[in-house]
Amino acid sequence: MLDASVYERIGIAVGSTGLALLCGLAIVALAGYDPARFATQLVVGSFGSERAFARTLQFTTLFILAGVAVAIAFRAGVFNIGVQGQLIFGGIACVLSIVWLAPYLPDGTAGGVVLILVGLVASAVAGGLYAALPGALKAYYGANEIITTIMLNFVAIGVVGWAVDGPLRPDDARSVRTEYLPENVGFPQLLFEYPSFSLVGLGLALAVVVVISVVATRTSFGYDMMTSGYQLRAATYSGVDARRMIVQTMTLSGMVAGLVGAVFAIMVQGYFIDPSGLGTYGFDAIAVSLLAANNPLGVVPAALLFGALDSASSHVQIHSEVPVQLIDGIVGLVVLFVAAPELFRMIAERTGLGGDRR
């Protein structure tokens, strides 16, 4: 299944998603609610208005970057389950670098552009360094990267949560947050008037997709990355430092994950919040990447699907009687149908317990 063609992959994704939605509608009907009204609100909440469409694209932008971060590691045979923690460190690094540097730069558009670039670089560096740690532990000490990255997620949530609620929280802040970003820092509103989405953010995410796709498929670094992940002995025999390549792969994955936090801070919030209320973009991105067969280009439509589901869930909560727990369960069904079989197959293959052989 991992070697399925593009058309087979599209068929698998569409079929799995459709079947999951049908099961969800059946559950809604069995629970005593109107499935037709639920389905209608699902579509309206995703694409029914300019605001709904912009909200869908907002979630899609974040899922694209997070999905690509996961896909980079998966393609190289490394499981980066720590995208959530890396995006948290990336986001806080972005906000702090901008807030601290802002007094030394002029107000206006030019100063804002410089601050945004500094914030993006800071977020990529922070996310990359945080991902390099489990990569080094795996490469040189044999530590299981699944366990280390999961544990580092909790470390990131705890440390940044403490900082945002403590020394980084302004005295006049009623909620747990950092200082607001300067007024000249933000992506311009183009085409859509929805304040939490900008086409510039989406364009940045798509640019990352193109760059990573080219690096993964058209460069010697991408070839070495794949070889070291799946054929360690062959990579070593051909002169590749496989251990260093694992660290570099995790670092690149973490750099893209850090950008998720930066885009969230600059495009969506305008500051950084308590990580426990951030949303599970890093975890959902695992399903996004698996649905896309770990192909950076395939991440785009997969992210659009999950973005639409996230956008619709908040709308359905407001405009239907279906309880939020049931909506979350249906979204979970989609994740289960499209992602879980492939995830288990990949784990089985990596652990030698079965699965497809490449």
Side-chain angles (χ1 to χ4, degrees):
M1 188 173 179
L2 291 172
D3 296 326
S5 67
V6 173
Y7 296 110
E8 289 171 336
R9 170 58 52 186
I10 293 174
I12 292 169
V14 172
S16 300
T17 305
L19 187 59
L21 291 176
L22 286 176
C23 290
L25 293 177
I27 294 174
V28 168
L30 291 173
Y33 300 99
D34 184 355
R37 181 183 178 187
F38 174 79
T40 301
Q41 295 299 332
L42 206 60
V43 176
V44 172
S46 305
F47 306 103
S49 65
E50 179 183 318
R51 184 179 181 83
F53 187 43
R55 189 173 58 239
T56 294
L57 293 180
Q58 171 204 320
F59 288 121
T60 300
T61 300
L62 299 174
F63 280 132
I64 287 175
L65 288 171
V68 169
V70 175
I72 292 170
F74 276 10
R75 282 180 67 89
V78 183
F79 286 81
N80 183 8
I81 314 297
V83 168
Q84 186 75 14
Q86 293 145 26
L87 77 85
I88 289 171
F89 267 106
I92 195 68
C94 171
V95 171
L96 292 181
S97 62
I98 290 176
V99 169
W100 288 342
L101 188 61
Y104 303 100
L105 292 177
D107 297 332
T109 303
V113 171
V114 173
L115 288 173
I116 289 175
L117 292 176
V118 169
L120 292 175
V121 171
S123 66
V125 171
L129 290 176
Y130 201 58
L133 176 60
L137 291 174
K138 173 183 174 62
Y140 296 102
Y141 300 100
N144 188 310
E145 78 276 19
I146 297 176
I147 296 175
T148 53
T149 51
I150 288 176
M151 297 309 296
L152 286 173
N153 283 333
F154 292 105
V155 173
I157 293 172
V159 171
V160 176
W162 165 80
V164 172
D165 194 22
L168 298 180
R169 181 175 179 174
D171 295 335
D172 59 344
R174 295 184 177 181
S175 61
V176 179
R177 63 169 175 82
T178 63
E179 291 186 30
Y180 287 109
L181 294 176
E183 292 185 358
N184 61 337
V185 174
F187 296 144
Q189 293 293 309
L190 300 174
L191 190 61
F192 296 97
E193 296 182 356
Y194 186 64
S196 298
F197 172 70
S198 169
L199 284 176
V200 176
L202 179 60
L204 173 64
L206 294 176
V208 170
V209 168
V210 173
V211 170
I212 295 299
S213 181
V214 170
V215 169
T217 60
R218 304 293 181 186
T219 66
S220 59
F221 176 80
Y223 178 79
D224 293 343
M225 192 170 63
M226 287 276 292
T227 307
S228 61
Y230 287 101
Q231 298 292 338
L232 181 60
R233 291 183 179 178
T236 304
Y237 185 77
S238 63
V240 176
D241 187 337
R243 290 187 174 86
R244 187 177 65 185
M245 188 56 65
I246 290 174
V247 178
Q248 291 176 342
T249 299
M250 285 294 289
T251 302
L252 180 60
S253 175
M255 290 176 68
V256 178
L259 291 176
V260 184
V263 172
F264 177 82
I266 296 173
M267 186 182 78
V268 180
Q269 287 292 143
Y271 51 87
F272 205 72
I273 62 173
D274 182 358
S276 61
L278 184 63
T280 56
Y281 301 108
F283 300 115
D284 295 342
I286 297 172
V288 172
S289 178
L290 291 173
L291 180 60
N294 304 323
N295 185 321
L297 295 177
V299 162
V300 177
L304 180 61
L305 169 65
F306 279 79
L309 289 172
D310 262 23
S311 176
S313 63
S314 58
H315 177 85
V316 173
Q317 291 172 31
I318 299 173
H319 296 88
S320 76
E321 298 176 351
V322 178
V324 61
Q325 293 86 352
L326 200 53
I327 298 170
D328 290 341
I330 293 170
V331 174
L333 267 180
V334 175
V335 176
L336 182 68
F337 272 63
V338 302
E342 191 116 339
L343 178 61
F344 290 137
R345 201 184 323 277
M346 291 179 66
I347 293 175
E349 183 185 7
R350 291 283 296 155
T351 56
L353 298 177
D356 298 333
R357 295 288 176 190
R358 299 180 72 88

